[in-house]
Amino acid sequence: VVDHPKAARVRRLFSAIAGRYDTFNLIMTAGTLRCWQRAFLEAGNFAAGERVLDVCCGTAELTIRIASRVAPDGRVVGLDFTEEMLAIGRRKVAVAPHGALIELAMGDAMDLPFPDGTFDAATIGFALRNVADIPRVLAEMTRVVRPGGRVISLELSKPENPLIGAPYYFYFHRLVPLLDRIGPLLDRGGPPPRDRLAPPPRNREAAAYTYLPNSLRDFPDRRNLARLFAEAGLVTVKTRPLTGGIVCLHWGVRPPA
Ligand SMILES: C[S@@+](CC[C@H](N)C(=O)[O-])C[C@H]1O[C@@H](n2cnc3c(N)ncnc32)[C@H](O)[C@@H]1O
């Protein structure tokens, strides 16, 4: 799947933190994640019976929530290239209310293994920042939705108001990397032996929460990401900043045939 240095790095990183990914997200966002996920479901405007592809599904957080919107007879495919993230996702899907509607698959967002027009919507949550080639992923997502289908992204963004930006960047660049030190404490399956706790990570893969703020640095701001949506061939592109623009929704429609 992976033939790009960034992709290989991202994959190693997520395989290292898969066990603590869900817990960390809730802690790091102080629970605001749930509001963002709800706003995402609203923007997605999913309907019963739809077929949805959740690209870079990770531990199936959004996948499971989308399934409850397309129930009782829709289908959701979650696709990711990190087996360890998918493994956690599979455990969650097995006990999710509409888990039977979900299929989790290994695959590359840059080369989606589906024919043109397969889905009513394609989604991507907190992952455009991590892919090696954003225009290519957006083009792939546009290709696999039917004419009139939607492409929706939920992603961290760059707040335009400095009164929000300054404390946010301080938190993100100075405090979030400290999570690398307590990481093993929160791994699924219980606390680790004491001797795994102390040292800060020495290599870059283990330093996932040092990578996180850096991943935002080169990422397009709200307007530029909207431009990339349009360049991918999507129309009626809309954006909705959340929590002062810390996070942003983008969505657009593949032109009807
Ligand atoms: C931050 S997680 C987001 C997971 C999930 N969407 C969520 O909302 O929690 C990013 C995920 O993107 C996946 N990923 C990154 N690049 C990918 C690619 N090119 N193809 C497939 N998955 C990719 C990683 O394996 C990781 O699971």
Side-chain angles (χ1 to χ4, degrees):
V1 177
V2 178
D3 61 357
H4 191 284
K6 175 168 178 175
R9 201 166 63 237
V10 162
R11 199 181 193 198
R12 282 199 299 273
L13 184 149
F14 282 102
S15 66
I17 63 158
R20 69 195 74 135
Y21 176 79
D22 288 340
T23 317
F24 261 30
N25 281 353
L26 275 182
I27 294 175
M28 204 165 48
T29 63
T32 315
L33 175 65
R34 295 284 178 253
C35 305
W36 299 335
Q37 289 171 334
R38 274 196 295 277
F40 159 85
L41 290 174
E42 256 172 53
N45 199 21
F46 305 106
E50 284 196 320
R51 298 152 301 158
V52 180
L53 173 66
D54 185 26
V55 177
C56 300
C57 66
T59 60
E61 275 289 289
L62 294 175
T63 326
I64 289 169
R65 287 171 172 77
I66 297 165
S68 66
R69 299 295 176 111
V70 301
D73 53 349
R75 292 287 304 160
V76 190
V77 177
L79 177 129
D80 201 284
F81 70 10
T82 306
E83 177 49 39
E84 290 79 357
M85 295 288 275
L86 287 173
I88 306 262
R90 274 191 215 102
R91 299 217 296 262
K92 288 159 64 178
V93 165
V95 294
H98 300 288
L101 307 180
I102 298 173
E103 180 195 336
L104 296 185
M106 171 75 102
D108 191 346
M110 309 239 283
D111 190 12
L112 294 174
F114 306 103
D116 297 5
T118 306
F119 298 96
D120 297 297
T123 65
I124 184 161
F126 301 110
L128 272 179
R129 236 174 335 113
N130 294 306
V131 301
D133 185 340
I134 299 168
R136 179 160 160 184
V137 171
L138 290 177
E140 276 293 90
M141 292 175 73
T142 306
R143 176 182 70 75
V144 299
V145 299
R146 62 168 169 79
R150 296 98 68 206
V151 170
I152 306 131
S153 160
L154 172 67
E155 185 51 286
L156 295 178
S157 193
K158 300 176 175 175
E160 285 160 20
N161 182 342
L163 289 177
I164 292 170
Y168 167 62
Y169 288 124
F170 176 80
Y171 172 70
F172 210 47
H173 286 278
R174 296 299 167 93
L175 302 184
V176 165
L178 298 178
L179 288 174
D180 282 322
R181 295 181 183 234
I182 60 158
L185 260 182
L186 296 164
D187 273 342
R188 272 189 175 219
R194 273 169 174 271
D195 59 359
R196 282 179 56 201
L197 298 184
R202 285 201 191 85
N203 61 47
R204 286 172 64 179
E205 281 75 50
Y209 293 88
T210 306
Y211 157 82
L212 181 63
N214 294 335
S215 69
L216 186 59
R217 206 167 278 153
D218 301 328
F219 190 66
D221 62 17
R222 179 165 70 95
R223 283 168 226 285
N224 279 316
L225 186 56
R227 185 176 48 77
L228 293 183
F229 266 59
E231 285 172 8
L234 295 162
V235 296
T236 26
V237 175
K238 297 202 170 78
T239 70
R240 181 174 166 210
L242 303 170
T243 321
I246 288 172
V247 162
C248 195
L249 281 160
H250 284 73
W251 67 103
V253 175
R254 178 172 169 183

